[in-house]
Amino acid sequence: MNQEHDAGPGRSGVSRRNFLGGGLVAAAVTPLLTGQAEAKAAAAPTVDGVAQVTVRAAVNGSPVTVRVDPRATLLDTLRERLDLKGTKKGCDRGQCGACTVHVDGRRVLSCLTLAATTTGREVTTIEGLADGDRLHPMQQAFVEHDGLQCGFCTPGQIMSAVAMVDDEGGADSDDEIRERMSGNICRCSAYPRIVDAIRDAQQVMR
Amino acid sequence: MRPYTYAQARSVREALRGAGPDTAFLAGGTTLVDLMKLEVVTPERVVDINRLPLDGVTLDHKGLHIGALERMSDVAAHPAVRQHYPMIAQALELSASAQLRNMASIGGNLLQRTRCGYFRDVTTPCNKREPGSGCSALDGINRGHAVLGTSDACIATHPSDLAVPLVALSTTVHLASPRGTRSVPLDTFYTLPGSTPDVENVLRPDELITGITVPRSPWAARSLYLKVRDRQSYEFALTSAAVALELQGRTITNARIAAGGVGTRPWRLTAVERALTGRPATPATFEAAVTHAADGAQPREHNAFKPALLRRTLVRALTELQESR
Ligand SMILES: Cc1cc2nc3c(=O)[nH]c(=O)nc-3n(C[C@H](O)[C@H](O)[C@H](O)COP(=O)(O)OP(=O)(O)OC[C@H]3O[C@@H](n4cnc5c(N)ncnc54)[C@H](O)[C@@H]3O)c2cc1C
Ligand code: SF4
Ligand code: FES
Ligand code: FES
């Protein structure tokens, strides 16, 4: 969806301060982010000059620097720019949970997170969960309980469940698991086995 | 999504500098990013306010103070909120999903836009999105729409759960602009659609919500939020009720009541409050007090069930509250 453009050469000359309307700081050092000319260009989609934002974040423990269109979501950036395709795009509207990742240890929706806002943050995706070849207990439990059918929602379910236990203290009953996992929709309705998997994994994790 | 420039503000002053109608402040982004993708909202500048020092949840003799950038999940989990303002914690926990509550801020929550499907669909007429274009919901699909506070121009429901207990408890919103600061009662912060449904509140384009204050009261601690919806979780309200009672023995000495899912803004029910005050907290009192709760309702084709559902929601909320002690 979001076209990523390189701001072309020769766009300097007007100060960034001016462009950003005074004391605002750009998300990071963005030498190509310049000038009123570019602001106008940015308003016309036919021109290639959308001011880029440099993001410096830790993704699955490794430092990453990537220049993104300010419109780029974290989801698209992970998938299209960092080749981390484990995080899935279901609705792209905050309604299904397929895109769930952790930012600073909390579960969030990467489809409604602008990549530009993640500078200085720690992002964890499904690819960052296993310890080498050793699956995370939540992944292992999903395998053992067959907590999936088509598997499309599974990375989101697992990321959500891990944070539900690690960050939020877990759930005390099946009903509570269901309530606290309600942000992750499973189109195949594999819910009973998803609940089984989470109940078991939680015991290992706690 | 339309192109925009992005910048992070380090202070309230920086965020406000140059802010105008083409500026959007970005908090959790769960409303803003969604609506920018749909091109319902098309700012030229997005100012990220997440690093402003507008956080903190504190309780003092005046009441509960919550910074605009506090996240829904953190406020819901806060011990002072849970103990002294249970219905605020409940309204937050019954909102959206865990992921969204981790992202969404209190200020953004109060400013979230309606979920009216026509508002979100740029191919259909909508007075709120495009003044003067007409209202597709009047004779369209209007099951989720409001029955109170509506006009010929718009019948969109205000979707916030949090705003319902906040209105019941006479919350104040604190605002900052280049001209200084001001505080506005939440009840008058929201405006009725009338002939200008594109205007939803008194916030000016160069004004930020910095926080809210919920007054201290004996009734806030004895309160309950009940939400009725099409599925058990992760759904907006068809109707909801925020009820708070102060009792002396069995007699109700103070009542604060508001409803969600039924109004074009969070709906305080002062007539129900008056009908409860001075009476014994019994089922008969509750039934009698809610008879006129939906007076003046203007139902449309698909939402004619709402007045009756509202009355039953209120009775159930009052009964559950009464039985919980
Ligand atoms: C799938 C889904 C389900 C949901 N279910 C519910 C539900 O059941 N109940 C419920 O109540 N809500 C629900 N929501 C809405 C959600 O609660 C709101 O989107 C959220 O609270 C908005 O907060 P935010 O910080 O993400 O706001 P943003 O999206 O960042 O901002 C929203 C608006 O407020 C402005 N803004 C933000 N902060 C400030 C500030 N401090 N000062 C001035 N302007 C500001 C922004 O410019 C923007 O116009 C749901 C949302 C989704 C996507
Ligand atoms: S109800 Fe309001 S928001 Fe919905 S279509 Fe009509 S004018 Fe637009
Ligand atoms: S893709 Fe993010 S919630 Fe559906
Ligand atoms: S396994 Fe198919 S969507 Fe969940």
Side-chain angles (χ1 to χ4, degrees), chain A residues 149-151 153 186-188:
Chain A
Q149 289 178 35
C150 77
C153 72
C186 176
R187 196 70 178 79
C188 303

Side-chain angles (χ1 to χ4, degrees), chain B residues 45-64:
Chain B
R45 302 170 68 225
V46 170
V47 176
D48 182 350
I49 59 172
N50 284 294
R51 301 192 191 210
L52 302 186
L54 302 177
D55 51 359
V57 179
T58 52
L59 185 70
D60 62 20
H61 65 285
K62 281 192 180 155
L64 177 71

